[in-house]
Amino acid sequence: MSQVTSTNHENLHIEIRGQGPDLVMLHGWGVNSAVFTPLHESLSQYRVHYVDLPGFGHSQMVEGDLLAWVDALVAALPEHAIWAGWSLGGLVATQAALSYPQKIKGLITIASSPCFMAREDEAWPGIPPQVLNQFREQLEQNLPKTIERFLAIQAMGSETAKEDIKRLRDLVLARPLPDARALTQGLSMLTDIDLRPQLTELQQPWLRIWGRLDGLVPKRVPPKMPITPQIEDMMLAKASHAPFISHQQEFLQVFMPWLTLQTR
């Protein structure tokens, strides 16, 4: 049984499990770090910091923008860890790697994009602006229903969509619902943030895991991303937006060897 401790640093809830090199796991919009529960056993040879992002799960809100979130997280987490972020968490991890290159050893993004919103003028694939606007409007009317709808979109395309949605929902609802203000902050990040111009500054080893059937980060995104010797891409053929839930074994077959290589 691996050791489990919980820490609250500046009102951020971080659950620490396992022993070994430091690994940070950041979840996506509308959920919390319980979403990574299926990975606990496989990652036990690492000291994994499962973070509830500001205003999600057991964490208090952090006022401000993406940079404010990153500053709060970096202050609460060990230096020289590998940061892995899923979806919105990938955007946060990427910004952290850009802002604090000397403190972050490596970067893993899972079903994530440097620019989530589709930008038709540039033929950039992503989430249609009207979908994000709908979520913003629905948040004000019915928070639980909006989150449930978002969970359904994440599993769309997967052969096991129904089971995936149920697993996501059961894991996520074991903790408090997110603060509505934090959800709005997160939506603004998904709508406004565009890290594409800065990606060439990244020097860390970077693993990018994609789902070919992903409805939120389309398969047309990876070919438009920069490629350098320290970057590795892996497309999971049958996965959609939550590959570590729907295709856990295939996901771990990519994730674990890369981690081993970076932490030898």
Side-chain angles (χ1 to χ4, degrees):
M1 177 68 187
S2 66
Q3 190 181 355
V4 183
T5 57
S6 286
T7 172
N8 279 297
H9 183 287
E10 299 293 327
N11 296 321
L12 284 176
H13 178 81
I14 301 167
E15 190 177 291
I16 303 164
R17 287 179 170 265
Q19 289 171 312
D22 286 304
L23 172 65
V24 172
M25 297 292 289
L26 303 179
H27 62 81
W29 187 86
V31 299
N32 54 59
S33 63
V35 83
F36 295 125
T37 304
L39 300 179
H40 285 177
E41 203 174 313
S42 301
L43 295 177
S44 60
Q45 69 268 46
Y46 294 91
R47 192 164 79 116
V48 189
H49 305 259
Y50 295 97
V51 180
D52 280 351
L53 288 173
F56 294 83
H58 296 302
S59 286
Q60 300 298 309
M61 221 192 118
V62 169
E63 296 288 349
D65 58 6
L66 177 60
L67 294 172
W69 278 23
V70 164
D71 290 346
L73 290 167
V74 168
L77 290 159
E79 293 191 11
H80 312 304
I82 287 174
W83 284 41
W86 169 50
S87 195
L88 172 63
L91 196 66
V92 178
T94 304
Q95 182 62 66
L98 285 163
S99 295
Y100 294 93
Q102 71 288 2
K103 293 190 177 186
I104 292 170
K105 183 176 180 172
L107 176 64
I108 302 172
T109 52
I110 305 154
S112 191
S113 174
C115 176
F116 273 87
M117 193 170 79
R119 298 181 190 257
E120 285 176 16
D121 53 330
E122 304 170 46
W124 176 261
I127 307 171
Q130 60 270 27
V131 171
L132 289 168
N133 289 333
Q134 277 170 3
F135 276 115
R136 193 172 271 113
E137 287 163 17
Q138 287 163 357
L139 268 182
E140 295 166 15
Q141 293 156 19
N142 189 329
L143 184 81
K145 195 173 178 189
T146 306
I147 289 171
E148 200 148 317
R149 183 166 165 254
F150 192 68
L151 292 179
I153 288 177
Q154 302 194 36
M156 249 172 27
S158 165
E159 290 167 355
T160 51
K162 201 173 275 188
E163 296 93 320
D164 298 347
I165 295 163
K166 187 180 185 313
R167 283 187 81 191
L168 280 166
R169 190 170 55 216
D170 290 349
L171 291 168
V172 165
L173 296 181
R175 293 193 185 173
L177 280 175
D179 185 309
R181 294 168 302 163
L183 285 166
T184 302
Q185 275 179 311
L187 272 183
S188 295
M189 293 172 198
L190 294 175
T191 306
D192 302 332
I193 298 289
D194 183 358
L195 298 181
R196 289 176 296 166
Q198 295 163 258
L199 294 182
T200 51
E201 297 168 25
L202 282 168
Q203 300 299 312
Q204 296 97 329
W206 183 8
L207 172 64
R208 306 186 295 217
I209 302 176
W210 315 91
R212 196 174 63 82
L213 306 176
D214 193 337
L216 296 170
V217 180
K219 65 181 182 204
R220 289 179 294 124
V221 170
K224 293 176 178 283
M225 296 285 281
I227 297 172
T228 62
Q230 87 276 15
I231 294 173
E232 197 174 321
D233 282 292
M234 192 57 68
M235 177 72 77
L236 301 185
K238 295 189 174 178
S240 60
H241 194 62
F244 58 92
I245 297 275
S246 64
H247 295 77
Q248 191 177 332
Q249 285 317 111
E250 293 96 317
F251 172 82
L252 288 168
Q253 280 164 11
V254 176
F255 195 79
M256 299 306 290
W258 190 90
L259 271 183
T260 303
L261 194 65
Q262 302 308 325
T263 53
R264 271 205 303 230

